[in-house]
Amino acid sequence: EHQKMMMFLYRAAMVPSHPFFVVVEIGGHNVWRKQLDKLVRMGQGGFLSDDKGVKSIKEGIPDTFGMLEEEIRAMPPLVRNFKCSGQLEKGDPHCGDEKYTDYACTARKGKVSWHPGFKYHALIGTRMALLVTQLLIDALEELVSDLETTDVDSLLAKLKEEDAARFANFQKQPLPSMGAWDDGKIEGMDIGLLLKSDGICKTARTPSFTRYEGILTERTNDRVGEFAPPHRESYDVGIPLEDAQATPGNGQMRLAYDPNDREKCDEIVKPDYKDYFYVDKKDGWSMLSVPNKAERQAFQYDPSKMKGMIVVCDGVCERGKCKKDDKISFADIEMFKANAFEMKVNNVPVANLVAFGGDCILLHGTDGMTTFQKHADHGGFDLTVKVNEDGKHMRMATVAIF
């Protein structure tokens, strides 16, 4: 899935502050390495993890096998019982037992053999922090050296000029190859729009600034907060799936969540939730406005910059499995063709769906139309969905418009 990473990095490079990327633990994915190298050659600042460097760090971690208990307890916490008999996070005396933190909710989900523990996360995080620290030190030393021969204002002007020139050169470069996403490989896909144009994204998932600030739900005055343990949130969490299934909607797609996705814990152990916009047959036509009034104001929405290419991503169930098989996926093109559900954009019927990136689809209108006209009143896009099959529902996780 290197296309998704490339899309993220390329769009990040277009941000006015011109951030650089740091990619770690890429392993033997040579395709990814070549693409990342190309971005750097184009002018994007970036750093790619050196697998040999990671190997040497792992080799340098002290092995606790054969050590006395008092010697082990005297070790720093992040290397204590990290390596046993040459293995990380497994083996005797205590590496497997102390792989995960135990200060709260020890029976939490996700504690499986293929997930790294907190010490491994700390190792990677420390590498990244040291890299950024070294970059800051290098930059300061270079600035001090330059200021010996010029004044601050002149140096600042020179650096701004160099940065602007690099960014201008980056924008002139041919777009990077996106593999299966390149122009002509996906019907109606304009890779230039996807990578370079302005866009707006609306997602039900957390963590999300728009959720915490009440922008997504237009509750900016009374339902705001930050990520918190379940049942202690002050932002709008939506309604439980069971309530959404039991009661009809009011013409709007409802923000909903699966209670099983929340850890039963008084500490924050998993702030990322797969929430979604919900609709089922009893709701009839249900609408989701992109952007809503609060989003237009918060992000200074400019309709003139939107071309109307729309991507919708399905709200997947936990590990891709839904109870009773009662869910229709937005990415199920065959179900769409069988009229199991219908969609409109600003009251224009969606005539075709095109697969795009796993659980996502591109919307096409009638007569081969690959973009949709903006709403005459608010300049946005009103998506409406109707489920036609009894006992079925749909979950929309994200909408992105370019």
Side-chain angles (χ1 to χ4, degrees):
E1 296 186 344
H2 73 277
Q3 295 98 333
K4 295 178 181 178
M5 182 177 68
M6 285 295 292
M7 176 183 172
F8 173 80
L9 294 178
Y10 193 95
R11 291 194 67 88
M14 303 297 289
V15 173
S17 58
H18 308 164
F20 67 86
F21 65 79
V22 178
V23 179
V24 298
E25 293 293 288
I26 200 169
H29 298 285
N30 290 327
V31 174
W32 292 22
R33 288 182 177 277
K34 290 178 180 178
Q35 292 291 77
L36 293 169
D37 286 342
K38 184 174 182 179
L39 275 180
V40 173
R41 291 195 301 272
M42 291 169 61
Q44 162 72 320
F47 296 88
L48 186 59
S49 173
D50 180 2
D51 290 343
K52 293 181 180 179
V54 175
K55 182 180 179 181
S56 65
I57 292 173
K58 292 178 180 179
E59 290 174 348
I61 297 171
D63 197 317
T64 55
F65 182 74
M67 296 177 64
L68 299 175
E69 285 295 326
E70 54 265 31
E71 294 175 325
I72 295 175
R73 290 300 140 196
M75 297 172 70
L78 293 180
V79 295
R80 181 191 308 145
N81 293 317
F82 192 6
K83 181 191 287 186
C84 293
S85 299
Q87 304 179 93
L88 297 183
E89 302 184 324
K90 61 178 67 174
D92 295 325
H94 310 295
C95 287
D97 297 335
E98 297 185 11
K99 176 179 180 178
Y100 295 102
T101 55
D102 60 1
Y103 62 87
C105 306
T106 56
R108 61 186 181 271
K109 299 177 182 177
K111 295 170 67 174
V112 291
S113 60
W114 58 88
H115 284 174
F118 76 97
K119 296 166 193 170
Y120 196 87
H121 281 296
L123 185 154
I124 299 301
T126 300
R127 286 192 71 216
M128 296 175 69
L130 289 174
L131 168 63
V132 174
T133 302
Q134 187 61 56
L135 290 173
L136 289 172
I137 292 173
D138 292 346
L140 287 172
E141 290 178 346
E142 188 172 334
L143 287 173
V144 170
S145 176
D146 288 344
L147 286 172
E148 293 178 357
T149 57
T150 187
D151 61 273
V152 172
D153 291 337
S154 298
L155 178 59
L156 180 59
K158 174 176 174 289
L159 292 174
K160 285 184 175 180
E161 183 179 345
E162 290 177 353
D163 187 54
R166 277 193 296 267
F167 184 61
N169 183 64
F170 178 81
Q171 291 179 302
K172 293 177 183 177
Q173 299 297 314
L175 293 174
S177 172
M178 298 293 287
W181 292 6
D182 283 339
D183 285 340
K185 294 185 178 180
I186 297 179
E187 182 184 355
M189 167 58 68
D190 186 331
I191 201 66
L193 280 181
L194 188 71
L195 295 181
K196 302 186 74 168
S197 73
D198 283 19
I200 187 163
C201 179
K202 188 186 190 86
T203 185
R205 295 184 174 187
T206 64
S208 167
F209 169 83
T210 59
R211 283 287 296 279
Y212 300 147
E213 294 296 314
I215 297 169
L216 181 81
T217 52
E218 299 190 273
R219 301 289 296 273
T220 55
N221 294 324
D222 61 340
R223 295 300 300 273
V224 298
E226 57 186 18
F227 59 83
H231 310 299
R232 285 163 53 186
E233 305 96 338
S234 57
Y235 64 91
D236 193 343
V237 299
I239 60 175
L241 173 61
E242 293 84 353
D243 292 352
Q245 292 175 321
T247 58
N250 59 357
Q252 302 290 323
M253 293 188 71
R254 292 172 287 170
L255 178 65
Y257 67 92
D258 187 342
N260 294 322
D261 195 28
R262 265 65 171 167
E263 295 271 16
K264 295 177 175 61
C265 182
D266 290 332
E267 298 285 343
I268 299 172
V269 295
K270 180 191 171 187
D272 50 327
Y273 300 132
K274 297 181 178 67
D275 298 348
Y276 42 84
F277 303 106
Y278 176 93
V279 61
D280 64 23
K281 184 176 180 179
K282 69 178 180 304
D283 295 338
W285 283 103
S286 297
M287 184 175 71
L288 184 71
S289 291
V290 187
N292 62 33
K293 184 177 180 179
E295 290 165 338
R296 293 196 294 271
Q297 181 177 353
F299 303 116
Q300 300 178 335
Y301 176 70
D302 184 353
S304 68
K305 295 182 178 180
M306 296 295 114
K307 305 303 182 184
M309 185 174 76
I310 302 177
V311 177
V312 171
C313 296
D314 189 59
V316 297
C317 302
E318 184 71 17
R319 297 183 182 177
K321 297 179 180 179
C322 296
K323 294 181 178 179
K324 304 177 184 178
D325 194 27
D326 59 355
K327 173 181 168 290
I328 301 175
S329 170
F330 277 95
D332 194 330
I333 296 174
E334 294 305 314
M335 291 291 281
F336 177 76
K337 291 179 179 178
N339 201 39
F341 65 98
E342 302 173 62
M343 299 180 69
K344 296 179 182 179
V345 178
N346 291 338
N347 213 33
V348 175
V350 174
N352 190 26
L353 306 181
V354 178
F356 170 67
D359 296 307
C360 300
I361 42 101
L362 277 170
L363 306 188
H364 286 189
T366 55
D367 300 323
M369 182 175 64
T370 58
T371 59
F372 291 84
Q373 295 294 317
K374 295 176 280 288
H375 197 284
D377 294 332
H378 54 68
F381 301 84
D382 290 342
L383 277 69
T384 48
V385 180
K386 183 163 75 80
V387 178
N388 295 325
E389 286 207 6
D390 291 326
K392 299 289 187 179
H393 74 274
M394 301 186 73
R395 309 179 184 187
M396 182 185 296
T398 304
V399 181
I401 301 177
F402 303 91

